[in-house]
Amino acid sequence: MSDLASRSTLSGSYLFTSESVTEGHPDKIADQISDAVLDAILEKEAALEAAGYRDANGVPARLDAVRCACETLVTTGTVVVSGEIRTQAYVDVQKIARDVICRIGYDRAKYGFDGATCGVINMIHGQSPDIAQGVDESYDAQAGRTTDPLDLVGAGDQGMMFGYATDETPAYMPMPHYLASRLAERLAQVRHDGTLPYLRPDGKTQVTVRYEGGRPAAVETIVISTQHAPEVEDMGAIEADMRAHVIAPVMEAAGVPWEGAALYVNPTGRFVVGGPMGDTGLTGRKIIVDTYGGMGRHGGGAFSGKDCTKVDRSAAYAARWVAKNVVAAGLAHRCEVQLAYAIGVARPLSVMVDTFGTGAVADDAIERAVEKVFDLRPGAIIRDLDLRRPIYEKTAAYGHFGRNDPDFTWERTDRTEELRAACGLDA
């Protein structure tokens, strides 16, 4: 059991902190561009397949043949888009990148980065056939051991993925991360809607929560760093605006008191130079922001720019789906699920459930129920969560989990009765 898991079952007091970033943070710009490229490919490939398109060699367009691992770097005045992609669709990578940047709000040179004038370099190339063969036809299928269509899709990589859920918030997310994400989201909202027109796209938030007996008891500290126009020099006015227009609405909506919390707004005293002019951004460099804010573990694989055959993404979504259903079913107050895969192999190598001592039944009983109720082969995950849709750009900012959006199918709690029945409990 991890140190965090051990400590959170104690009756004592401890602090836990999580952070988030806005859509204008350099790393998040990169994530959104990578996922926008993926979305464009999925959308266009689906249209080609529907139209019966075939290439010059007579190969038909097929949505399930799309493979994408798109990586983006952003720095002062420049965007570099690279990676390995297999598709029959043509997408305008330069236009996609520029549209994302302008949509975020970097649409004027005086902001330090301008989507209309920055350089965009496309360095995308084809996927390795050595990787493709194991995904197109799994290890067992190649050996003639299966003809089940869901066994044919091999995992797009090896590795382990974690999913986590807790009943400490209605979104089944850890409170520090949930609040930090909603604060970052609100920062962007008041900028876009003109409430605080002097704000600029880059920003970060951080929330520290005091836990008592493993449950959140109080918000101890809130940190907000927000890029702003150079003519705004009164940090006291910015702090007052953060209190009134960002923090208070988020905390009120969450039903969380915060009046006694320590507050730090732009603690360096000035935040004018931001975005790619202030820091280089890279796809996949905010994996803790993307998931659970450090509460629970992480397998290390990033999500953005990866198609659904890449288990770094699809299996992490499935693990969250499983963990959330376990908690929503009342089988535990907290649940962490680990899945592990080998590249080219359809069935997971291992499935682990840890309820940190909060389970209504033994963890191994929940594990057996999970394996009975959920099919965790990549092909089944793709089918059950309907992952071949252009839904990914909006996942790339403000967290992949804990958001109320019908396209986030991994957030459904649709297997609770089956899980309870499989554990021998009344539905």
Side-chain angles (χ1 to χ4, degrees):
M1 186 176 290
S2 68
D3 290 342
L4 172 61
S6 299
R7 186 159 195 180
S8 63
T9 59
L10 298 178
S11 58
S13 175
Y14 60 93
L15 301 177
F16 196 90
T17 301
S18 294
E19 71 159 353
S20 187
V21 298
T22 66
E23 64 203 45
H25 185 281
D27 294 329
K28 280 290 134 200
I29 298 172
D31 284 340
Q32 288 166 92
I33 292 171
S34 292
D35 271 336
V37 171
L38 171 60
D39 281 351
I41 290 169
L42 292 173
E43 186 171 15
K44 194 158 187 180
E45 190 83 31
L48 291 175
E49 182 178 12
Y53 173 83
R54 291 177 179 267
D55 68 11
N57 297 315
V59 178
R62 286 176 38 227
L63 183 59
D64 63 2
V66 168
R67 302 289 180 265
C68 183
C70 182
E71 312 286 347
T72 302
L73 176 148
V74 296
T75 188
T76 304
T78 306
V79 177
V80 179
V81 185
S82 62
E84 298 77 46
I85 293 177
R86 185 179 75 181
T87 179
Q88 293 199 40
Y90 168 79
V91 297
D92 189 339
V93 172
Q94 285 207 0
K95 184 178 186 303
I96 291 166
R98 294 185 191 283
D99 287 350
V100 169
I101 293 163
C102 290
R103 189 159 54 244
I104 289 168
Y106 289 110
D107 54 4
R108 299 183 187 182
K110 69 177 184 178
Y111 295 168
F113 198 70
D114 180 6
T117 61
C118 67
V120 180
I121 302 170
N122 181 356
M123 300 184 68
I124 291 171
H125 57 89
Q127 185 191 42
S128 162
D130 295 345
I131 294 174
Q133 67 178 355
V135 181
D136 295 340
E137 189 178 17
S138 71
Y139 176 82
D140 286 328
Q142 291 183 43
R145 286 192 285 267
T146 181
T147 57
D148 184 337
L150 292 177
D151 276 333
L152 300 184
V153 181
D157 204 351
Q158 71 172 47
M160 65 284 190
M161 300 83 210
F162 287 93
Y164 181 84
T166 171
D167 62 4
E168 65 191 57
T169 63
Y172 294 93
M173 291 292 287
M175 183 175 285
H177 185 256
Y178 180 78
L179 294 177
S181 297
R182 301 292 74 78
L183 288 170
E185 198 171 34
R186 178 69 180 173
L187 262 181
Q189 181 182 336
V190 297
R191 173 175 59 87
H192 283 299
D193 68 15
T195 301
L196 299 177
Y198 64 83
L199 296 185
R200 298 295 181 256
D202 199 356
K204 301 181 80 171
T205 61
Q206 187 169 289
V207 176
T208 300
V209 172
R210 177 166 51 84
Y211 282 75
E212 299 284 354
R215 306 297 293 180
V219 175
E220 292 281 320
T221 307
I222 300 170
V223 181
I224 295 182
S225 295
T226 181
Q227 188 184 13
H228 59 87
E231 61 269 20
V232 180
E233 298 180 348
D234 184 350
M235 290 301 114
I238 295 178
E239 178 176 329
D241 282 341
M242 292 301 103
R243 287 179 178 273
H245 299 293
V246 177
I247 302 171
V250 167
M251 296 300 177
E252 182 179 340
V256 176
W258 63 280
E259 290 78 5
L263 176 61
Y264 298 90
V265 174
N266 286 7
T268 65
R270 178 180 169 89
F271 187 0
V272 171
V273 178
M277 189 177 182
D279 278 304
T280 296
L282 291 169
T283 299
R285 204 161 58 176
K286 284 289 176 286
I287 59 176
I288 299 303
V289 168
D290 285 342
T291 52
Y292 309 102
M295 189 82 76
R297 287 167 282 196
H298 197 294
F303 301 157
S304 289
K306 296 178 181 177
D307 76 88
C308 55
T309 66
K310 311 292 191 297
V311 285
D312 277 343
R313 180 170 222 156
S314 55
Y317 288 177
R320 161 65 176 175
W321 183 37
V322 172
K324 187 174 181 180
N325 273 270
V326 167
V327 176
L331 297 177
H333 293 293
R334 298 173 58 217
C335 180
E336 183 178 77
V337 174
Q338 186 202 51
L339 308 175
Y341 294 85
I343 189 168
V345 178
R347 296 183 181 275
L349 306 183
S350 66
V351 177
M352 183 276 292
V353 172
D354 187 353
T355 64
F356 309 100
T358 70
V361 297
D363 286 358
D364 57 355
I366 298 175
E367 230 166 67
R368 289 192 295 271
V370 165
E371 295 193 68
K372 181 179 179 180
V373 171
F374 293 89
D375 188 339
L376 296 169
R377 292 173 292 174
I381 294 170
I382 293 166
R383 175 200 65 191
D384 293 342
L385 297 181
D386 194 12
L387 295 180
R388 286 197 172 99
R389 294 171 295 136
I391 60 170
Y392 295 107
E393 183 186 347
K394 62 183 173 181
T395 70
Y398 312 117
H400 292 246
F401 309 122
R403 292 164 63 188
N404 184 23
D405 187 310
D407 283 332
F408 289 41
T409 51
W410 48 93
E411 291 296 306
R412 297 183 309 213
T413 53
D414 54 350
R415 301 288 177 93
T416 56
E417 293 185 4
E418 292 174 76
L419 281 172
R420 289 182 61 81
C423 288
L425 301 176
D426 293 333

